[in-house]
């Protein structure tokens, strides 16, 4: 009982329910290991008793972080303050470097009163730093003494009549994240897979801007969603998964379109640049015409050499000023990231193996290395700036093309254990722990993703500073943000090092604070948020997300009326607040699903748990149910047997739902049958390294995709093309 009580006090589960009628106990060894990762020694019964006494006797006037939602009642921590308490709220001085400017407002001082007042009062307007709307009147359920602070992060100071004092972080958040301005459709694409005629062996930010410009102007698309563009861990071979990055805070310069950098045209060594471009063209040729896989390492080696030449070109005064602004805005976080990159060039990409003095980012030895590697640190800072400017340019291209949302960026659930983020923020990550998933009906062994989790106690104690900075960096150049495994804002499955995923347990996060920071940063950026809420979802999570305006993700093949016999869910019964799609990067393409090719692929790789005949029969039955529904709804006028017609019918169905956003997997537009990622495989399948291909498996370029008759026939289903006048000499696609 003592261990269970101690675990509960720290948000560590001692049991979990994989299904409503099943409860599984967590091994005590797991609970003890997870508590140790949270700084709680529960190794012996005596230790448990000691920690329990300390935890239960600890009395806090305020929790480390307090959330106040606009227009909603105060949380109990504030509403329950003793009458006569003095409350002062002041903006956190360095809350948003470079984001908020101007003179901060004077602190808000107020005094709590007893019980409920007769009527609410309207506080005087308070202008947030840098402008913005004035604070609104307090709602009836809010005590009259409370003066709502402007949206933002503040420090709140409380002094009670009996002289107790407390200081905490106060997050004043809008009630909801911004919503898409209208219903829209758009493309989902893994950027590396989208090669154009000018690519250096993989898709880049120039290709993204071009796709967005074309799709917005020609098809009336509202968005383009891409994979995470986070910085990868360098090395040979680099982990190709975009969901296991070195840093989520900063983008990877491998995505740069080198020729678009203004200084590129002023490089003196043109011969070397020409040689590099020829080598890059050979990489693309090998991928597009010779069956080679996308080789991120080879691409980066060529781009790195070109960028070394580019950064030797002096910046113009205006460009220099913009770069300095970026450095000031990003502050210590960018300096740490760039220093890690520079140290990794010398000592390798795993900081755990570096000389001991360099494993601490604040050690004297690291300070000396910072000075010695100053040129390399500046090089990596410059690359981060250049990448950020091209991300912003892609969003501007989308907006200029009439897209209502623009680029939807993707936030991975975690980072690589050896990368820049874990080095720079060591205290924030739980040691010897990995994020994963518990056993379920689809994977009896559970999953270990190899991603160290953030410590919820450290997040709260620091006012969620790392999380705030991460979101601000991603949202600054995005029209919307997709959050992978959005359930992680509520709880994550922690797996102790050296143990199987079945021996993990759930650790709870303060979802109110996580959602408040998300709403605040999305509000500042004017960006919508989409949560990937597929799979096992704790009761109440989808409702909490919907309340805060976070859209969900609905994939056609999973949308069934489980309460009514499991039949395909009629389109009018789908939820409105979601991104509706036919597939994702982790699932078969629509053509592969319709033909059963995805089953035979898994059979060839030895991944089936039953016979091929059983799997094919079950899959065909599932597909037939959906095709029968499409036929009944008169969405399949061509009848059975026409693959392209069936793909169009699936998207007609998605459009019939009330979903705010309808996503089209870009490989579906040309009949690609290969998944970009096949869960459960490592070297058996070329995950994250395939270019988009047609129905015959031949890679196709961006130019060929945009001219594809199959694409245009499919997109006519979603929205008729705008009238297009071809320039002289250009044929209409």
């Amino acid at each position: 009982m003592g261990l269970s009580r101690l675990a509960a006090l720290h948000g560590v589960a001692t049991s979990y329910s994989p299904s409503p009628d099943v409860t599984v106990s967590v091994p005590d060894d797991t609970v003890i290991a997870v508590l140790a990762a949270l700084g709680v020694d529960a190794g012996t019964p005596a230790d448990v008793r000691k920690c329990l006494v300390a935890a239960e006797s600890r009395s806090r006037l305020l929790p480390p972080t307090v959330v106040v939602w606009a227009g909603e009642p105060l949380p109990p921590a504030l509403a329950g303050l003793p009458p006569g308490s003095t409350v002062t709220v002041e903006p956190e001085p360095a809350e948003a470097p470079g984001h908020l400017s101007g003179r901060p407002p004077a602190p808000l001082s107020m005094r709590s009163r007893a019980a409920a007042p007769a009527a609410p009062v309207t506080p005087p307007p308070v202008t947030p730093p840098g402008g913005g709307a004035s604070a609104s009147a307090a709602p009836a359920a809010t005590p009259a003494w409370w003066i709502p602070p402007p949206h933002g992060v503040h420090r709140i100071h409380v002094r009670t009549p009996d002289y107790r004092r407390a200081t905490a972080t106060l997050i004043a958040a809008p009630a909801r994240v911004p919503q898409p301005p209208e219903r829209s459709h758009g493309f989902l694409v893994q950027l590396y897979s989208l090669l154009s005629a000018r690519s250096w062996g993989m898709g880049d930010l120039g290709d993204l801007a071009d796709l967005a410009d074309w799709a917005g102007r020609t098809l009336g698309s509202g968005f383009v969603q891409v994979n995470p563009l986070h910085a990868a861990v360098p090395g040979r071979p680099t982990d190709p998964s975009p969901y296991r990055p070195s840093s989520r805070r900063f983008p990877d310069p491998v995505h740069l379109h080198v020729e678009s950098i203004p200084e590129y045209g002023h490089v003196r060594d043109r011969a070397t640049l020409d040689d590099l471009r020829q080598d890059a063209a050979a990489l693309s040729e090998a991928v597009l015409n010779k069956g080679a896989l996308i080789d991120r390492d080879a691409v980066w080696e060529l781009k790195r050499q070109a960028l070394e030449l580019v950064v030797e070109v002096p910046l113009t005064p205006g460009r220099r000023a913009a770069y300095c602004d970026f450095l000031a805005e990003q502050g210590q976080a960018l300096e740490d990231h760039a220093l890690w990159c520079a140290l990794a060039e010398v000592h390798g990409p795993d900081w755990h193996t570096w000389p001991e003095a360099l494993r601490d980012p604040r050690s004297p030895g690291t300070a000396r290395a910072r000075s010695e590697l100053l040129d390399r640190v500046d090089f990596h800072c410059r690359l981060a700036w250049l990448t950020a400017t091209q991300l912003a340019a892609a969003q501007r291209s989308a907006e200029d093309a009439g897209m209502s949302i623009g680029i939807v960026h993707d936030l991975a659930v975690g980072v690589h254990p050896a990368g820049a983020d874990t080095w720079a923020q060591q205290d924030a990550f739980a040691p010897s722990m990995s994020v994963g998933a518990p056993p379920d009906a689809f994977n009896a062994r559970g999953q270990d993703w190899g991603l160290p989790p953030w410590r919820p106690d450290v997040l709260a104690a620091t006012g969620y500073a790392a999380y705030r900075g991460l979101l601000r960096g991603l949202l600054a150049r995005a029209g919307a943000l997709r959050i992978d495994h959005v359930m992680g804002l509520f709880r994550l499955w922690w797996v102790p090092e050296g143990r199987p995923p079945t021996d993990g347990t759930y650790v709870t996060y303060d979802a109110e604070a996580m959602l408040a920071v998300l709403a605040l940063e999305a509000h500042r950026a004017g960006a919508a948020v989409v949560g990937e809420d597929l799979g096992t979802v704790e009761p109440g999570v989808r409702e909490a997300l919907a309340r805060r305006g976070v859209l969900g993700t609905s994939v056609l093949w999973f949308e069934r009326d489980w309460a009514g016999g499991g039949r395909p869910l009629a389109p009018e019964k789908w939820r409105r607040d979601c991104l509706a799609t036919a597939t994702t990067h982790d699932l078969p393409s629509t053509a592969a699903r319709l033909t059963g090719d995805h089953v035979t692929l898994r059979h060839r790789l030895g991944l089936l748990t039953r016979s091929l005949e059983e799997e094919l029969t079950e899959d065909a039955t599932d597909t037939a149910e959906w095709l029968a529904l499409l036929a009944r709804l008169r969405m399949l006028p061509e009848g059975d047997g026409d693959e392209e017609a069936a793909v169009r019918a699936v998207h007609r169905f998605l459009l019939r739902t009330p979903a705010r956003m309808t996503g089209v997997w870009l490989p579906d537009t040309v009949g690609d049958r290969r998944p970009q990622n096949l869960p459960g495989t490592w070297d058996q399948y070329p995950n994250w390294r395939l270019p988009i291909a047609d129905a015959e498996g031949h890679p196709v370029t961006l130019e060929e995709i945009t001219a594809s008759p199959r694409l245009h026939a499919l997109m006519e289903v979603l929205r008729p093309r705008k009238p297009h006048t071809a320039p002289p000499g250009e044929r209409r696609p």
Side-chain angles (χ1 to χ4, degrees):
M1 285 296 294
L3 183 61
S4 296
R5 283 168 51 207
L6 185 63
L9 288 171
H10 292 87
V12 180
T14 55
S15 65
Y16 66 97
S17 298
S19 60
D21 56 342
V22 176
T23 299
V24 178
S25 295
V26 175
D28 285 352
D29 287 350
T30 294
V31 176
I32 292 170
V34 170
L35 285 171
L38 293 170
V40 180
D41 184 1
T44 68
D47 293 330
V48 171
R49 288 192 295 272
K50 179 181 177 181
C51 290
L52 261 179
V53 170
E56 293 178 337
S57 63
R58 191 182 301 125
S59 176
R60 293 187 64 99
L61 187 58
L62 292 177
T65 297
V66 182
V67 172
V68 175
W69 296 99
E72 297 184 13
L74 290 183
L78 294 180
L81 288 174
S85 297
T86 300
V87 180
T88 304
V89 176
E90 57 186 12
E92 193 173 274
E95 186 240 329
H99 183 82
L100 303 177
S101 59
R103 181 177 297 173
L108 302 175
S109 296
M110 55 204 95
R111 186 180 295 273
S112 63
R113 300 175 186 170
V121 299
T122 302
V126 180
T127 304
S134 298
S136 59
T142 299
W145 58 266
W146 176 254
I147 303 174
H151 294 156
V153 180
H154 312 269
R155 297 298 287 170
I156 182 168
H157 308 277
V158 173
R159 185 180 66 190
T160 66
D162 59 357
Y163 301 106
R164 288 184 295 157
R165 295 174 181 267
T167 297
T169 299
L170 176 70
I171 301 172
R176 288 168 61 82
V177 305
Q179 300 298 288
E182 59 187 24
R183 288 193 70 192
S184 62
H185 67 79
F187 290 119
L188 319 177
V189 63
Q190 299 283 291
L191 181 57
Y192 59 83
S193 71
L194 182 68
L195 281 73
S196 70
R198 64 182 185 177
S199 300
W200 286 40
M202 62 181 278
D204 58 40
L205 292 172
D207 299 323
L208 175 60
D210 203 23
L211 174 65
D213 197 7
W214 169 79
R217 297 180 189 279
T218 306
L219 305 175
S221 299
F223 62 91
V224 174
Q225 177 183 299
V226 295
N227 55 285
L229 303 181
H230 309 318
V233 176
R236 281 187 174 271
T238 299
D239 186 342
S241 172
Y243 291 92
R244 203 164 180 251
S246 169
S247 173
R248 297 188 294 173
R249 174 76 181 263
F250 296 101
D252 198 313
V254 76
H255 300 112
L256 280 168
H257 181 240
V258 180
E259 293 95 325
S260 293
I261 300 172
E263 290 74 37
Y264 178 88
H266 300 280
V267 172
R268 291 185 177 181
D269 189 353
R270 305 309 299 181
T272 299
L273 276 185
D274 289 343
D275 288 344
L276 291 172
R277 290 181 63 182
Q278 288 181 9
D279 291 343
L283 280 181
S284 292
E285 169 70 14
V287 172
L288 294 171
N289 297 314
K290 298 180 180 178
L293 299 175
I294 292 170
D295 187 342
R296 183 192 183 103
D297 296 324
V299 172
W300 173 237
E301 179 59 27
L302 295 178
K303 287 192 176 183
R304 183 194 59 76
Q305 293 180 55
L307 291 167
E308 298 276 6
L309 298 173
V310 168
V311 299
E312 290 178 357
V313 177
L315 295 171
T316 64
R319 295 268 291 166
R320 169 62 61 180
Y323 177 44
C324 290
D325 283 349
F326 180 78
L327 294 175
E329 180 182 83
Q330 301 302 321
Q332 185 71 54
L334 175 59
E335 188 175 334
D336 286 343
H337 175 72
L339 178 57
W340 182 91
C341 293
L343 288 170
E345 291 176 336
V346 178
H347 301 288
D350 185 351
W351 62 267
H352 299 91
T353 66
W354 293 355
E356 188 171 352
L358 301 179
R359 297 175 197 171
D360 178 358
R362 304 291 171 253
S363 74
T366 301
R368 286 193 297 273
R370 194 185 307 266
S371 297
E372 294 166 358
L373 297 171
L374 193 59
D375 287 345
R376 297 309 297 170
V377 172
D378 183 67
F379 174 71
H380 291 290
C381 285
R382 182 87 70 92
L383 298 193
W385 172 60
L386 293 172
T387 312
T389 59
Q390 289 197 4
L391 286 168
Q395 177 62 14
R396 285 196 301 272
S397 292
E399 293 171 348
D400 291 346
M403 285 191 164
S404 57
I405 297 174
I407 309 302
V408 182
H409 286 283
D410 199 351
L411 172 61
V413 71
V415 294
H416 196 286
D421 282 2
T422 57
W423 177 73
Q425 305 168 22
Q426 292 175 40
D427 292 343
F429 288 92
S432 302
M433 291 288 148
S434 177
V435 173
D440 56 27
F442 301 99
N443 193 328
R445 294 187 296 271
Q447 300 175 58
D448 183 344
W449 302 332
L451 308 170
W454 263 337
R455 285 180 53 167
D457 56 330
V458 174
L459 286 177
T462 56
Y464 295 83
Y467 178 51
R468 284 151 41 197
L470 167 62
L471 291 177
R472 187 170 305 141
L474 287 170
L475 288 162
R477 299 160 189 92
L481 179 66
R482 174 192 181 268
I483 300 180
D484 190 46
H485 193 70
V486 72
M487 297 82 78
L489 301 182
F490 296 76
R491 65 178 186 178
L492 283 171
W493 184 257
W494 286 24
V495 181
E497 185 178 32
R499 301 186 186 183
T502 51
D503 285 355
T505 190
Y506 280 113
V507 175
T508 300
Y509 292 75
D510 185 345
E512 281 288 287
M514 299 289 274
L515 288 172
V517 172
L518 177 62
L520 174 63
E521 296 301 337
H523 174 78
R524 284 172 167 169
V529 178
V530 178
E532 186 270 297
D533 56 352
L534 304 174
T536 302
V537 182
E538 187 181 10
V541 166
R542 287 195 175 104
E543 292 78 7
L545 293 169
R547 182 184 180 194
R548 299 304 172 195
V550 178
L551 306 184
T553 300
S554 294
V555 178
L556 180 130
W557 310 101
F558 302 153
E559 292 296 315
R560 289 179 172 271
D561 182 7
W562 299 111
R567 292 184 296 273
L569 192 65
E572 66 274 9
K573 293 185 178 180
W574 284 41
R575 53 181 168 171
R576 175 173 178 264
D577 295 328
C578 75
L579 165 64
T581 71
T583 190
T584 73
H585 59 267
D586 282 333
L587 296 172
S589 70
T590 305
R593 174 78 69 169
L594 290 168
T595 59
D597 282 5
H598 67 110
V599 177
T600 56
L601 171 61
R602 294 181 66 83
H603 172 67
R604 289 199 304 272
L605 297 175
L607 300 176
L608 298 184
T609 58
R610 298 181 297 174
S611 71
L612 175 60
E613 292 73 19
E614 289 177 293
E615 294 280 355
L616 284 173
T617 298
E618 182 178 291
D619 183 70
T621 300
D622 180 83
T623 301
E625 287 184 331
W626 280 102
L627 291 175
L629 175 59
L630 297 176
R632 287 198 302 273
L633 295 174
R634 299 183 179 180
M635 295 181 180
L636 191 54
E638 299 88 349
D640 293 339
D642 186 331
E643 176 193 308
E644 289 190 44
V647 173
R648 291 195 294 270
V650 163
H651 289 86
R652 286 192 187 99
F653 181 94
L654 294 176
L655 200 63
R656 181 80 66 88
T657 74
R660 284 179 174 270
M661 298 170 67
T662 301
V664 180
W665 179 235
L666 189 60
D668 273 349
T669 65
V670 289
D672 198 344
R673 281 167 161 70
R674 306 172 303 174
Q676 282 294 315
N677 178 49
L678 190 58
T681 63
W682 177 243
D683 56 359
Q684 307 99 314
Y685 186 80
N687 295 317
W688 317 114
R689 288 171 290 171
L690 292 171
I692 297 175
D694 61 20
E696 285 71 44
H698 301 138
V700 289
T701 63
L702 170 60
E703 292 83 1
E704 291 168 330
I705 292 170
T706 59
S708 166
R710 179 166 179 157
L711 177 145
H712 285 279
L714 173 58
M715 298 311 294
E716 286 289 350
V717 168
L718 282 91
R719 183 171 179 176
R721 281 185 296 156
K722 296 178 180 178
H724 171 69
T725 302
E730 179 185 307
R731 294 186 301 171
R732 294 191 182 193

